[in-house]
Each structure stands twice: as structure tokens, then as C-alpha cells.
Amino acid sequence: MENHKLIFPVEENLNQELLKYFKGERDGYVQVGPKKWFLPVKFKSLASQYKNFRVRPDDVWITGVPRSGTTVTQELVWLLCNNLDYEAAKQDLDERVRYYELDLVFNDKTTEERIMTFSGDKELERLAECIKNTLKFLDDDVKRRTIKTHLPFELLPDDILRKGCKVIYVCRNPKDVAVSYFFYEKGSWHLNFTGDFEKYWNFFKNGNCTFGPYFQHVKQAYEKKNLLNVLLVFYEDLRKDPRAYIRQIADFLNKQLDKKEIDKLENHLGFENFKKNPAVSKALRDVDNNEVDFIRKGKVGGWTEYFTKKINNEANEWINENIRHIGIKWPK
Ligand code: A3P
């Protein structure tokens, strides 16, 4: 069954409510297939391109729900695939590891208006070019490709698994993901979420945030974790033992690292250095053009500052039920 073609509009009252809160999305949302993947309406015109893209057996894909630690993992993977070339890594990470469905997450009307308001902004002009051309840039790339995506497995080309591309799926505690995603969607002009955390949490938990439902996304990856070309990693492990995280991914990519190389990677990827690195940590701009941190706090358990008792009880019930169902074991 071709689930990527089973695209339904979100129920009208919910759609109106979402449009009220997510001011950057002007056209509304759809749900895709029996899992009800929640995506902007634009997916209708992009689904086939995303499904039929020509993959190469040596591609490396980095994926996971947004805000799970994909960016830092992208940088690690790119360095491992490019002979630890720190000089070349001074180029923007966005240009080195392309974001597969960039086009999907930028609403056309919102982007056009932004470009008119900030005409002459070079960064914005480059972004607009990438939005329209990411798949072409990937097609034209003559080097080994490292690609980032947040789409669930089901909506990606089947050849990714058939042709033996390597896939690294980053997983993070949903409570921390929800908080991080809230700040990201609030602070990005193209998403512009205008509600409070409680409102956001309800959308997130019910699978009504872009790339949701969270546990369906994780489940599709967890079911594939024993495939030779799939590696499931946890953000919590990165924070607890970055050297083991680096080694785990290097082993998966068949890269030998000596102690000095691991030292240098650990230092380069360390939260404070990473935050200061202009190639990976571009400031987000909110709707009023204020700078917002993309690399925010990097904490495990940071959710405690934002969850009320009520949200936490509800979250625990939801998480426990899903963990039991999926059989996933979270790092201690
Ligand atoms: P917080 O918002 O909790 O700080 P993604 O890259 O998938 O969007 O994930 C973003 C999350 O990863 C953010 O979490 C961000 O701060 C965190 N992060 C980014 N770089 C990091 C690094 N080098 N070390 C630890 N966490 C990092």
C-alpha cells in the first residue's frame, strides 16, 4: 500500500484552531496514511518527490523527531564521512548536510512576505534558494551525501533500506523534545507558534505537531533497529557519555578513531563549543526578527521547569503506555 498517497485534510475545527496558533502555517495541515502523519498541506504536492527520490547506496541519512539531537549528530556524521576535515567543516552545516524536506516546512506565503519585508537579506535569499532546490542540489552532489530528514521511514524512499544506505535515528525523551520543540516553533518566524506550553503539549501529545505522532515515529525506527544498516541512538547517551556516542556512530560507519581524534571530536561537539560555532549554530529569527537560540540548553530532564503536575501525570501515563506497547528501552 502506498501510504504516502493517502492524504486527508485535518478535521476542520482542529485545522482552524491550529491555524490560529501556528501563525506561520497559512494553508493548514493534512494527515497521511493510517498512522496519521501530521504535516503541512504542502505535503500533497511533495509526497511523490520525497518517496521517489533517487538514493545512492553510500548515502548516510540522519533522522529523528525534530529537537532530538539531530544537528549535533549531523556534524559528527559529516566529519566522520569527510576525514575529520575541520577546515571544510567551517562551511555552514546546512550546506554540507542538506535538510531533505526543507521545502515542506516553509509555507510559501509566509516565506514570500518575509523576503519582501527583509529584502536584500543575503541569508534569507540563500534560504529561499535552498527551499526550492534542495532535492536538485542533492541530485547534483558528486560527493558522498549526508542527508538530514525528520520524515518517518514510511514516507521516505523505500530504496533507503533496500539499497543499504546507512540510517542513524536519534531518539530523545518526549518530555524534553516537547519543550525544545515548543521553544523552536515559538521562536521561528516561519512557524510562529503563539500559544503557551500547555497548549503546545496538547498538540504534541495528540500527534498534532509537524512530523508527529511522536510515538509512531519512534516505533517505526525501533522496529528497524536490528537491521544492519540502521542505528538507533539516544540523545541521553550523548549527554551522559559523548565519547561512547561518538564511538558507536564511528563503528557503525566503519571509521577507526584513535584517542586524539575522539578527544578532538568530543571537544568540537561539546555543547558550549557547538553553541559558539557559527557554522552549526545559526541564530533563529522570530517573527519580529529577534535572535533566538537554536542550540538552546542541551539538558536532559530540562522539562521539569515547564511541566505542571497535571501535564506530568498525563505525560507519564501516555509515555508508559507507549513504551510498553513499543517495547522500547530508554537509557537509564
Ligand atoms: P534543547 O532545546 O533542549 O536545548 P535538533 O538538532 O534535533 O533540532 O535538536 C535540538 C536540541 O539538541 C536542542 O535541545 C539543542 O540545544 C540540542 N543540542 C544541539 N547541539 C548540541 C550539542 N552539541 N550538545 C548537546 N545538545 C545539543
Side-chain angles (χ1 to χ4, degrees), residues 67-72 172 180 235 269 274 295-298:
R67 310 305 288 172
S68 297
T70 47
T71 310
V72 58
R172 185 182 190 189
S180 183
Y235 180 80
L269 302 174
F274 206 71
I295 314 284
R296 206 179 52 95
K297 289 194 172 173

Side-chain angles (χ1 to χ4, degrees), residues 149-272:
T149 181
H150 292 306
L151 287 173
F153 269 99
E154 186 178 295
L155 303 180
L156 290 169
D158 298 323
D159 276 350
I160 289 182
L161 296 176
R162 281 201 212 118
K163 289 201 169 170
C165 306
K166 300 243 176 188
V167 184
I168 296 160
Y169 185 95
V170 191
C171 192
R172 185 182 190 189
N173 178 321
K175 293 182 183 176
D176 282 332
V177 168
V179 170
S180 183
Y181 209 0
F182 164 70
F183 281 105
Y184 177 71
E185 301 224 65
K186 213 173 158 53
S188 316
W189 60 263
H190 66 292
L191 303 165
N192 193 16
F193 178 71
T194 54
D196 59 14
F197 178 69
E198 185 161 10
K199 191 78 216 166
Y200 190 82
W201 168 256
N202 282 319
F203 286 135
F204 180 83
K205 174 179 169 272
N206 293 324
N208 298 325
C209 282
T210 300
F211 301 109
Y214 171 88
F215 273 114
Q216 292 290 358
H217 204 291
V218 169
K219 184 169 183 277
Q220 285 211 333
Y222 196 71
E223 285 164 355
K224 295 176 179 56
K225 71 175 193 322
N226 293 328
L227 297 179
L228 274 180
N229 54 334
V230 175
L231 179 71
L232 181 84
V233 290
F234 288 92
Y235 180 80
E236 289 75 15
D237 283 338
L238 163 78
R239 298 308 276 146
K240 197 165 106 190
D241 189 348
R243 299 178 76 82
Y245 189 85
I246 292 166
R247 262 188 260 111
Q248 190 185 9
I249 294 179
D251 284 350
F252 177 67
L253 296 172
N254 302 318
K255 302 283 166 194
Q256 308 296 322
L257 295 174
D258 62 28
K259 184 181 170 301
K260 266 195 176 156
E261 288 168 332
I262 297 182
D263 288 347
K264 192 163 176 186
L265 276 169
E266 184 183 12
N267 188 46
H268 181 77
L269 302 174
F271 186 77
E272 291 308 329

Side-chain angles (χ1 to χ4, degrees), residues 56-189:
R56 302 177 193 160
D58 68 345
D59 286 339
V60 183
W61 293 70
I62 301 111
T63 179
V65 172
R67 310 305 288 172
S68 297
T70 47
T71 310
V72 58
T73 308
Q74 282 166 239
E75 177 73 348
L76 168 60
V77 168
W78 186 89
L79 282 163
L80 292 170
C81 291
N82 289 275
N83 300 317
L84 304 179
D85 188 344
Y86 288 92
E87 200 45 45
K90 288 183 180 158
Q91 185 192 22
D92 274 355
L93 181 60
D94 296 346
E95 303 275 344
R96 291 179 281 127
V97 183
R98 298 217 175 263
Y99 180 11
Y100 190 59
E101 64 278 5
L102 188 69
D103 197 356
L104 177 64
V105 292
F106 282 87
N107 179 272
D108 289 342
K109 290 178 204 140
T110 303
T111 308
E112 271 162 35
E113 283 177 13
R114 185 81 180 181
I115 291 169
M116 301 254 279
T117 310
F118 295 99
S119 71
D121 180 323
K122 292 281 168 267
E123 220 168 83
L124 203 52
E125 281 170 13
R126 179 63 186 150
L127 174 68
E129 203 185 340
C130 290
I131 289 172
K132 288 291 153 229
N133 294 297
T134 292
L135 296 189
K136 182 185 178 311
F137 291 159
L138 281 169
D139 243 346
D140 293 347
D141 203 338
V142 290
K143 295 210 322 233
R144 183 178 193 188
R145 303 182 303 192
T146 40
I147 306 169
K148 187 268 273 292
T149 181
H150 292 306
L151 287 173
F153 269 99
E154 186 178 295
L155 303 180
L156 290 169
D158 298 323
D159 276 350
I160 289 182
L161 296 176
R162 281 201 212 118
K163 289 201 169 170
C165 306
K166 300 243 176 188
V167 184
I168 296 160
Y169 185 95
V170 191
C171 192
R172 185 182 190 189
N173 178 321
K175 293 182 183 176
D176 282 332
V177 168
V179 170
S180 183
Y181 209 0
F182 164 70
F183 281 105
Y184 177 71
E185 301 224 65
K186 213 173 158 53
S188 316
W189 60 263

